[in-house]
Amino acid sequence: MSSSAKRALKIVEVLSGADRPLGVTEIARALALPPGTVFRGLDALLRAGLVARYQASSRYVPGPLAERLRQSTLAQFRIRGVCLPYLRQIASVSGETASLYVRLGWYAVRIATAPGTGEVTHAPRLGETHPLAGHYAGRAMLA
């Protein structure tokens, strides 16, 4: 893989992990790259649909193609379809958001969720990874 392709993937990774839209300078700082290099990478990613401008501003978010790739990856976990009715039932009875995590090495990946009726203070995005010891679901897997 070329160095420019690796940089482009790193840009998408930074945007996907951010909790808000990011500007060129913020991305450049996170990757320790010159802003001009990041801008050129964003331009190519924008044309490919992997990133999008946030409300016509100078900030960027993951694009529609990145979202479709994420969804198709999560769809590969067939257990999602089996578990979703049970997650919905748990969420409706408890009022809490119910999530399904799978273990990938020393990490847990959230692959399904059913929102509860209560307020959610923090719910990681689907596909987001966490060290196993960092959350209750991971600690249960380690036990």
Side-chain angles (χ1 to χ4, degrees):
M1 182 182 294
S2 72
S3 62
S4 61
K6 287 179 186 177
R7 275 194 302 270
L9 289 175
K10 288 289 188 187
I11 291 170
V12 172
E13 183 179 3
V14 166
L15 284 174
S16 296
D19 58 353
R20 60 186 173 75
L22 299 177
V24 174
T25 306
E26 294 167 303
I27 298 167
R29 195 174 302 130
L31 296 173
L33 291 171
T37 301
V38 171
F39 181 79
R40 286 188 297 279
L42 284 166
D43 186 52
L45 291 166
L46 189 62
R47 285 183 271 124
L50 287 165
V51 302
R53 286 192 182 265
Y54 179 72
Q55 298 178 349
S57 70
S58 61
R59 299 192 166 276
Y60 295 86
V61 294
L65 182 57
E67 182 60 27
R68 284 197 308 268
L69 286 170
R70 186 176 69 84
Q71 287 297 329
S72 67
T73 300
L74 292 174
Q76 300 300 312
F77 292 97
R78 291 191 178 121
I79 193 170
R80 287 182 79 228
V82 173
C83 291
L84 274 171
Y86 298 105
L87 290 174
R88 288 185 188 114
Q89 186 177 14
I90 291 168
S92 70
V93 169
S94 69
E96 298 291 327
T97 298
S99 297
L100 173 65
Y101 288 83
V102 295
R103 181 178 176 174
L104 292 176
W106 289 99
Y107 292 88
V109 178
R110 187 169 179 234
I111 63 166
T113 189
T117 56
E119 279 190 36
V120 176
T121 55
H122 175 71
R125 286 185 274 181
L126 290 177
E128 194 170 299
T129 60
H130 303 281
L132 283 174
H135 293 286
Y136 294 121
R139 290 186 206 137
M141 288 178 199
L142 286 171

